[in-house]
């Protein structure tokens, strides 16, 4: 929050990974008993910094098709400002984010299944924003070379669903990528804009120095595409503001 204030940002959102049942992915997320504390901490910060920086309460919701009822109950329990929907693992039995091995084994199969789950997520109504659309490219295998048509179809479903798409600048700090780039790649951002998908820019900050990373660069790129506005959220309502 202090870093956001230093940068002159008017708002910052917290969106930690949601708990999952039975210790699923336990090494990369809070457990169920910590969710109340997370919400309380963000709410306390909101009160402390009132008038200086607007603080938004969000959640990064990991989507598994067989856990939709569980996820809906979790979303309904708290006064979220926004829910970011993500797919990190293809199966609910996985204990880790295991892109590198899974993608390398059969890239076409992996990305095909990933895109199918992203389409289900977009249609589910669980989230307001689609997170890091092509994040499995952290494996080093870029999906555009493997399932370009599938990615386009998935963007079309996102457009039909009315869900927003984030441009996530954390890719610029991930050395696994063949070339520095955001999630999704800039060519996919251009496709999303052409389809009329609402866009926003997030830094996916895991440390203070990540806050607002590459925002100026993204603004320049978006202006070049002809993007005139971005979206923000509060109370799970979407608002448009001029770029």
């Amino acid at each position: 929050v202090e870093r956001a204030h230093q940068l002159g940002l008017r708002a910052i959102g917290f969106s930690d990974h949601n708990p999952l049942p039975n210790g699923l992915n336990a090494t990369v997320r809070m457990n169920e008993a910590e969710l109340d504390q997370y919400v309380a901490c963000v709410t306390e910060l909101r009160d402390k910094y009132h008038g200086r920086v607007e603080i938004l309460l969000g959640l990064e919701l990991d989507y598994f098709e067989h856990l939709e009822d569980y996820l809906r109950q979790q979303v309904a329990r708290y006064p979220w400002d926004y829910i970011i929907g993500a797919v990190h693992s293809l199966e609910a039995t996985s204990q880790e984010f295991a892109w590198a091995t899974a993608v390398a084994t059969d890239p076409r199969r992996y990305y095909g299944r990933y895109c199918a789950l992203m389409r289900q997520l977009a249609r589910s109504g669980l989230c307001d924003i689609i997170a890091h659309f092509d994040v499995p490219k952290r494996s080093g295998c870029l999906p555009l070379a493997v399932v370009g048509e599938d990615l386009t179809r998935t963007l079309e479903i996102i457009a039909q669903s009315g869900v927003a798409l984030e441009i996530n600048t954390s890719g610029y700090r991930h050395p696994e990528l063949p070339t520095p780039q955001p999630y999704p790649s800039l060519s996919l951002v251009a496709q999303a804009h052409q389809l009329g998908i609402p866009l926003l820019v997030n830094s996916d900050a895991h440390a203070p120095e990540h806050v607002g990373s590459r925002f100026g660069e993204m603004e320049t790129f978006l202006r070049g595409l002809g993007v005139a506005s971005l979206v923000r959220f509060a109370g799970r309502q979407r608002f448009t503001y001029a770029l």
Side-chain angles (χ1 to χ4, degrees):
V1 175
E2 290 288 352
R3 177 63 175 158
H5 183 63
Q6 290 168 9
L7 292 172
L9 300 182
R10 290 183 291 178
I12 185 170
F14 287 88
S15 46
D16 207 349
H17 290 276
N18 66 311
L20 292 173
N22 305 315
L24 182 66
N25 292 141
T27 59
V28 293
R29 67 185 67 252
M30 70 183 103
N31 61 49
E32 291 176 292
E34 292 174 306
L35 188 54
D36 286 345
Q37 180 186 1
Y38 167 69
V39 172
C41 284
V42 176
T43 302
E44 182 180 344
L45 281 172
R46 174 180 289 167
D47 294 339
K48 179 179 178 181
Y49 286 90
H50 180 72
R52 295 176 63 193
V53 180
E54 182 183 5
I55 295 176
L56 303 172
L57 175 63
L59 192 70
E60 183 168 348
L61 193 81
D62 276 87
Y63 177 76
F64 293 98
E65 56 187 340
H66 301 303
L67 291 178
E68 281 204 13
D69 289 343
Y70 173 91
L71 296 173
R72 290 188 194 285
Q73 292 174 21
Q74 194 173 72
V75 168
R77 278 178 57 193
Y78 299 95
W80 308 111
D81 286 306
Y82 61 91
I83 301 292
I84 300 183
V87 173
H88 288 100
S89 304
L90 302 189
E91 305 296 338
T93 55
S94 174
Q95 292 299 312
E96 299 289 344
F97 297 169
W99 296 304
T101 301
V103 178
T105 301
D106 191 341
R108 186 170 297 278
R109 180 179 178 277
Y110 184 95
Y111 276 121
R113 176 62 176 153
Y114 175 80
C115 286
L117 288 172
M118 291 293 275
R119 293 192 289 269
Q120 289 178 223
L121 170 61
R123 293 184 179 116
S124 72
L126 282 165
C127 68
D128 308 298
I129 305 163
I130 295 292
H132 42 54
F133 177 68
D134 56 359
V135 74
K137 69 187 179 188
R138 286 187 70 178
S139 64
C141 176
L142 300 182
L144 278 170
V146 180
V147 288
E149 292 183 4
D150 219 353
L151 290 169
T152 297
R153 176 60 181 152
T154 304
L155 285 174
E156 291 171 347
I157 295 299
I158 292 171
Q160 293 168 16
S161 74
V163 179
L165 182 74
E166 73 163 4
I167 304 166
N168 184 319
T169 64
S170 69
Y172 286 109
R173 65 176 190 265
H174 290 157
E176 311 96 300
L177 296 180
T179 57
Q181 56 186 286
Y183 307 110
S185 63
L186 296 178
S187 62
L188 290 172
V189 174
Q191 282 191 46
H193 173 55
Q194 291 169 0
L195 290 167
I197 297 173
L199 300 172
L200 63 158
V201 180
N202 288 336
S203 52
D204 198 347
H206 287 212
E209 60 269 22
H210 301 155
V211 173
S213 174
R214 312 289 280 250
F215 277 15
E217 183 176 327
M218 286 299 102
E219 180 181 1
T220 299
F221 171 74
L222 292 170
R223 288 186 185 279
L225 283 183
V227 175
S229 62
L230 297 175
V231 298
R232 64 185 300 275
F233 290 84
R236 299 206 67 190
Q237 298 295 308
R238 188 172 75 208
F239 303 91
T240 301
Y241 67 94
L243 182 61

